[in-house]
Amino acid sequence: MATPEDSAGILKVYGPYVVGTRWTFETEVPDADAFAERVRGVLRGYPWLVHEDGDGGAVLGYAYASPAGERAAYAHSANVSVYVDMGRRGEGIGGGLYGELLRRLEGYEIYTLYAGIALPNDASVGFHKSFGFTEAGLFHKVGFKLGEWVDLLWMERPIKDYSLKAGHAGGKPHE
């Protein structure tokens, strides 16, 4: 599990995505204090995992879940994200993180997971399909970054049987 103290390492992974890709819609890298507060906020109700290098403890990737929306009816759904150090992609770090995140989320009162993918990004679409996500919808030209309009593909994956009655508002593991 991540801690707010991991924020500087997480930002080293995340920063290049912010400034060099359209894969996140943030346009400025948050400062470490703001990001530590972001981590704290997520950890109040959801898991945030980090993968650290065995040699020096450097963060090489992270995955987390967050609320799918602010309104109460979204409580049983979550958004999920994974980022891996640009120089370490393709080594299985993201898959390991995502597999563990999804396993942990099965213990929460969450029924459906969502992932937003800025297009084009065939690697991310294929990655999510390998975890059982299917295409749910496409937002056309919903973002503008790096001088281009960006489409956003939403993918979804149920993790519980919908015939089960939802319990207390999601985001927390079963007691």
Side-chain angles (χ1 to χ4, degrees):
M1 287 290 279
T3 68
E5 290 72 33
D6 291 317
S7 294
I10 292 170
L11 278 172
K12 286 182 182 177
V13 171
Y14 185 56
Y17 289 92
V18 174
V19 298
T21 76
R22 293 172 295 150
W23 299 341
T24 173
F25 280 8
E26 277 194 87
T27 58
E28 294 182 22
V29 179
D31 68 38
D33 290 337
F35 210 82
E37 188 54 40
R38 186 180 297 184
V39 172
R40 272 188 212 88
V42 166
L43 289 173
R44 286 185 193 109
Y46 300 88
W48 188 314
L49 307 176
V50 292
H51 178 98
E52 296 177 335
D53 183 349
D55 293 333
V59 174
L60 300 179
Y62 65 93
Y64 67 98
S66 60
E70 295 179 17
R71 306 287 192 270
Y74 287 112
H76 300 288
S77 301
N79 291 332
V80 289
S81 293
V82 62
Y83 288 90
V84 174
D85 180 279
M86 291 276 198
R88 303 298 294 266
R89 294 178 59 206
E91 296 181 17
I93 294 169
L97 283 164
Y98 233 40
E100 180 62 18
L101 179 67
L102 287 128
R103 187 192 68 73
R104 289 183 186 214
L105 288 170
E106 289 174 1
Y108 285 63
E109 280 294 323
I110 294 172
Y111 286 69
T112 310
L113 302 176
Y114 295 94
I117 301 168
L119 299 179
N121 192 338
D122 292 340
S124 186
V125 172
F127 175 83
H128 283 85
K129 285 182 178 180
S130 77
F131 280 94
F133 283 78
T134 59
E135 295 182 12
L138 181 64
F139 291 5
H140 298 276
K141 297 177 180 24
V142 68
F144 188 82
K145 186 170 178 189
L146 300 176
E148 296 181 325
W149 287 103
V150 182
D151 294 343
L152 185 65
L153 173 66
W154 280 99
M155 298 187 79
E156 63 187 359
R157 179 181 189 255
I159 60 172
K160 282 196 180 50
D161 181 350
Y162 294 110
S163 68
L164 301 174
K165 185 176 180 184
H168 175 62
K172 304 242 179 182
H174 292 290
E175 298 296 325

